[in-house]
Amino acid sequence: MKKKMVSVLMTAILIAIPITPALAQTSPDTVKEKAQGLASKIVSDYGVSGMQYAIMDHGSIVLSDSAGVYDRATKAPITKDTMFGIGSVSKMYVTAATMMLADSNKIDIDKPLITYIKEFKMADDRYKEITPRMLMNHSSGLYGTHYGNSVLFDDNDTENHDKLLARLQTENLKSNPGESSVYCNDGFQLLEILIERVSGLSYSKFLETYISTPLHLSSTKTPLDAFDRGRLVKTYFPMMEQALPVENVNTIGAGGIYSTAEELSKFAEVLIGKQPDILSEKSAKSMQSHEYRKGVWVSEETNTFNYGLGWDAVRLAPFSDYGITALSKGGDSIMYHAALTTLPEHEISIAVLSTRGSSFVNSLFASNVLLEYARSKGIIKELLPEKTFKPSLKVDMPSDLQSYTGLYGSVGKTVNLEIKNGEIDLPALAGAPIPPQKYVYTGNGQFKNKDGDVTISFDKQKNGKTYVKLIAYINKPGLGQAVKATYEYQKLDPNPLSQTMRTVWEHRDGKQYYALDEKISSIFYYLPSGLNVSINIDHGYASGTKIVDENKAVNVFDIPILNGTDAFDLLFYNVNDTEHLRLGGRTYISEDGIQPIDKGNSSICTIPVSGQAVWYKIDKKTANRVMTVKVPGSGGFAVYDANGMVVNFSKVTNNHSIVLPEGGMIVFGGNKGDRFKINLKNK
């Protein structure tokens, strides 16, 4: 699927870097200068508008600073009290809360989840085997994320939380519970529900009572808490100077907490067992266990992904090269980005928060500064050099490797991989940092790019699946080098279709489908408007899913680490002779069922009893005319150009008048019965 459902939303990308060598110990002032220089670089070169960071050492803040601005309009600076969303770093709070319940013998993390959430049911009977541990180490087998109404502007609606259990009842698993770890937001939403069921408190109240209050965290809040929203750093979209409304990530357990860098680094004291009145040292140590080794995983130990309980990494590179244990968690929502890295044996932690940018960049910063700080304290003597590579030298390829030619895919897409004369052409990898290029066979079952810093191989795992494995050293200008070992693609079996099936599915190829259930306050209306279905008709796949009948295609991917996350099935059905699509708990309408907006000078759009959004096309008769809308208080609308890019979203701009672009789309949303009075006039 060309526009997979924003797995970017809450999927964490952690990259750490070794830095160029130096011979002498540095001073605290040098650490501060290093941090300031890197922060300025990130703000100037990596699209970050505001950034905040802090280091905690043995319970004391030893560095706290910021870069960028709180508000572009006023140029007001960020202070230590400015709050940010922390995205998926929120998972560390729900993990700690789960382990706190285990400390008090209220739960056993290795007992089935149904012991504590009685109404948890799925269509796949294997759900009964899922335990809280599997939710914390991403090995539950759940598809990934239900994004519907999860990220809203100035709206803390709990619908996503409230309907999750009902939505899961009709869904399957993609693997046996415990078999492989694939990043999964829904698992942490289930932990949030577990905490509520067992404690009798709302999750927000549990955090306030048992974490924030005893730690004196006055700036650690959820969307459901009452606090001054003016303390949140202003956020912006590219090419837009106006500040956006507050982003509420209402999947709180997975990514909804706000905090400051100082308070996040203070919370790290809990995670490393230095606040035993909150979380026992035993439980903190358990969270650091090498959970990734229990199931299907890449064999490389030098990596930036090696899951513990909650943690993305429990032996983070490059710290592992120094013999230092480093734990790390990154997080990205649409507008906020975060990284938390801690050295538990040395009781040192760093938190880095930003608007725009990415957790990728924040983690680079964290590793740079933390290594410099470790050198200033004499923990390490010198910084290791970056790894260098020789240009790849092609050698003769064994003929048996030719068998790896075939159809591969990852969630949302398929790719025909052909090995020809010992060479492979591959599209962009690692979420795009590695560009499309050619790889040549260099021996030992490996194919490498021209520069020799990216290695591709094939790995048949114990689950019977064959994966394309990637080992890459990625360089970010001014920030250094990062290592990543992961699986990029899974080999797929051909799925030949009958002529009848081919005809039905070919009709859907390239079609756009538009969300009906999303609230008009949703931040997703600021993203490209349509969801595009791509059919690989010769092999029998639709947007990476396997076609099983005329109206259904199912997930086949079980790719450990990240590329198997946010899997989905496709279910097509008709309503009043108009095709609809059901995906991830959300309903979409085909572009074929959307009518042009009334070309008359005035018209009315009414939100139906279902409360679903209403979409219109902009045809030649209405294009380039000025549309002015009288909007009800609970309503709003968005206008998109022919490429699906938003040109006006009234919930953000408060602009109710717009020139309509030819070939574009309009969506109206609000409460059932809301009436929009529409006026069209020539420019």
Side-chain angles (χ1 to χ4, degrees), residues 52 54 56 59 61 80-84 86 89-90 92-94 96-97 100 203-222 225-228 231 257-271 275 278-279 340 351 353:
Q52 183 191 70
M56 175 79 77
I61 297 291
K80 66 183 182 65
D81 297 317
T82 303
M83 294 169 63
F84 291 70
I86 65 170
V89 180
S90 303
M92 298 314 303
Y93 290 78
V94 79
M100 289 160 62
Y203 177 59
S204 294
K205 189 65 177 178
F206 185 97
L207 292 181
E208 177 189 351
T209 304
Y210 295 108
I211 294 179
S212 294
T213 297
L215 283 177
H216 306 290
L217 304 180
S218 60
S219 301
T220 299
K221 303 292 183 181
T222 81
D225 289 327
F227 67 96
D228 178 10
R231 292 184 56 198
I257 290 177
Y258 308 107
S259 192
T260 65
E262 287 194 8
E263 289 200 359
L264 182 52
S265 65
K266 188 173 184 179
F267 173 66
E269 295 282 289
V270 174
L271 301 176
Q275 294 286 343
I278 296 175
L279 180 69
L340 175 65
L353 309 178

Side-chain angles (χ1 to χ4, degrees), residues 6 18 35 121 138 194 213 270 339 379 383 398 464 470 481 510 555 581 629 656 658:
V6 201
K121 294 179 181 177
H138 301 279
L194 164 68
T213 297
V270 174
I379 295 171
L383 301 175
L470 167 75
Q481 188 183 75
N555 171 66
L581 167 63
V629 183
H656 295 170
I658 184 74

Side-chain angles (χ1 to χ4, degrees), residues 68 110 212 244 530 558 593 681:
D110 292 311
S212 294
L244 299 174
D558 177 21
K681 66 178 182 180

